[in-house]
Amino acid sequence: MKAVTDTQSASTGTSGLAGLVTRAEGIIRAIAHPDLVSIALRLALAVPYWKSGVLKWDGFLQLAPIAPLLFENEFKLHLPGGPYDFPMPHLAAFGAGLGEIILPVLLVLGLGTRFAAFGLLAMTAIIQITIPGGWPLHLTWAAMALAIMMIGGGRLSADGLLFRRH
């Protein structure tokens, strides 16, 4: 009878090392709930872009003078045969500034979450070819954007509320 009980305990994972691992994994899964993971990733990716975007503006749709100057004089595209100047630096500064404000807001709200994350992934790729030595940080941003693109906004997002599946 004891052998049957031991076999049942092992198969249900309720005793010994296997049971301990199963319980620990359950706790870890509860802590890393997909909705919580989505919120954490969305906030973590939004913050650096928002902070950079705020510095590019002096008012509503009014670029700070430093923003176009950076795209004219400092930022270069490090592509084969380059580096090259940014084409249309004022437009590049304006686009980057808009993206760095609008996309993080969408991420935090969880509205168009996958599209906002894709936009930040594209911006991350451009940043990488502009500042090649920053790859460890850029890789982190890219990983967060890809994870958000995969899992979406979750239930605790505007997307989750608007497109709730019944």
Side-chain angles (χ1 to χ4, degrees):
M1 186 62 151
K2 177 147 174 52
V4 170
T5 306
D6 288 344
T7 303
Q8 288 172 340
S9 294
S11 67
T12 59
T14 58
S15 69
L17 181 59
L20 181 63
V21 169
T22 299
R23 286 189 296 278
E25 285 179 342
I27 292 168
I28 290 168
R29 276 194 306 274
I31 292 169
H33 189 277
D35 292 328
L36 180 60
V37 170
S38 175
I39 290 170
L41 285 168
R42 288 175 7 226
L43 289 173
L45 185 58
V47 167
Y49 280 95
W50 173 266
K51 289 171 81 172
S52 177
V54 167
L55 297 175
K56 288 184 175 63
W57 298 101
D58 268 347
F60 184 72
L61 297 180
Q62 183 63 44
L63 276 177
I66 190 70
L69 288 174
L70 287 171
F71 282 86
E72 287 172 3
N73 302 314
E74 296 296 321
F75 295 160
K76 303 291 181 200
L77 295 171
H78 295 271
L79 297 169
Y84 301 101
D85 291 337
F86 263 87
M88 299 178 285
H90 290 291
L91 185 60
F94 192 83
L98 279 180
E100 289 175 340
I101 294 294
I102 293 170
L103 296 173
V105 169
L106 292 174
L107 270 189
V108 169
L109 296 174
L111 181 60
T113 308
R114 287 186 167 103
F115 296 105
F118 178 73
L120 291 178
L121 178 64
M123 288 184 72
T124 300
I126 293 168
I127 292 167
Q128 174 57 34
I129 62 174
T130 303
I131 308 167
W135 70 265
L137 182 58
H138 306 155
L139 179 60
T140 303
W141 294 343
M144 287 190 286
L146 288 167
I148 294 166
M149 290 165 58
M150 181 183 71
I151 65 176
R155 290 181 295 177
L156 303 176
S157 69
D159 291 342
L161 295 172
L162 291 170
F163 304 108
R164 192 171 300 253
R165 309 259 195 288
H166 297 279

